[in-house]
Amino acid sequence: MGDSVYVGNAGKDAALDRGWLLGHFKDTDDPRHSEAVEIKWGLHPRGDERLQWVRGEERTALLVLISGRFRVELPGRSVLLQEQGDFVVWGHGVDHSWFAEEESVVLTVRWPSVPGYAVTQHDEARSPGVAPVQ
């Protein structure tokens, strides 16, 4: 089978690409390359937060809580995921942000995988006790 199969560990592989396991941003000869979908294994310490809201979203997203307590902020609504398996789905055009109320692991699936959404790690999140870069 060779190059058409990839076997990994979400926790270990996530550390290599800001949590992203699959999407358009992987090399085209990598089985994890996809223009249809993106998958992220998010490891978030307590107090980790998205500093800037995602605006003008063109994708649909599904976020599933694996462990912890995780809050997703949507326009006019706050969704608290607190039991394993709790999830939220939002469609394109829905702005969002998030906050880890406890150490959390979340699985995010977004589709389609659209180039141009990369943000710096500083813009994406800040862990507690880490001062923003000026």
Side-chain angles (χ1 to χ4, degrees):
M1 292 205 192
D3 294 335
S4 64
V5 174
Y6 179 91
V7 177
N9 175 279
K12 292 176 184 174
D13 287 9
L16 303 175
D17 197 4
R18 296 181 313 126
W20 292 104
L21 303 175
L22 188 142
H24 76 274
F25 35 77
K26 299 294 184 183
D27 291 336
T28 56
D29 60 346
D30 186 325
R32 298 169 298 160
H33 175 84
S34 173
E35 295 181 11
V37 66
E38 299 172 355
I39 299 177
K40 182 176 188 176
W41 185 258
L43 304 172
H44 302 280
R46 177 189 296 263
D48 197 15
E49 65 182 324
R50 182 155 182 52
L51 295 176
Q52 297 178 352
W53 278 58
V54 173
R55 302 204 184 276
E57 180 63 78
E58 293 182 19
R59 300 161 297 187
T60 299
L62 161 72
L63 191 143
V64 181
L65 181 70
I66 305 300
S67 64
R69 188 174 162 104
F70 198 80
R71 185 168 24 97
V72 177
E73 297 295 340
L74 303 165
R77 185 172 185 181
S78 182
V79 177
L80 181 60
L81 307 176
Q82 55 189 344
E83 292 184 31
Q84 185 177 52
D86 284 354
F87 69 93
V88 60
V89 177
W90 61 92
H92 95 275
V94 177
D95 300 340
H96 69 279
S97 187
W98 49 259
F99 180 78
E101 293 191 355
E102 295 177 359
E103 182 175 317
S104 300
V105 177
V106 295
L107 178 72
T108 302
V109 180
R110 298 191 303 205
W111 62 94
S113 184
V114 180
Y117 274 88
V119 295
T120 66
Q121 203 159 4
H122 170 263
D123 288 340
E124 185 172 9
R126 180 177 73 214
S127 296
V130 177
V133 177
Q134 297 294 326

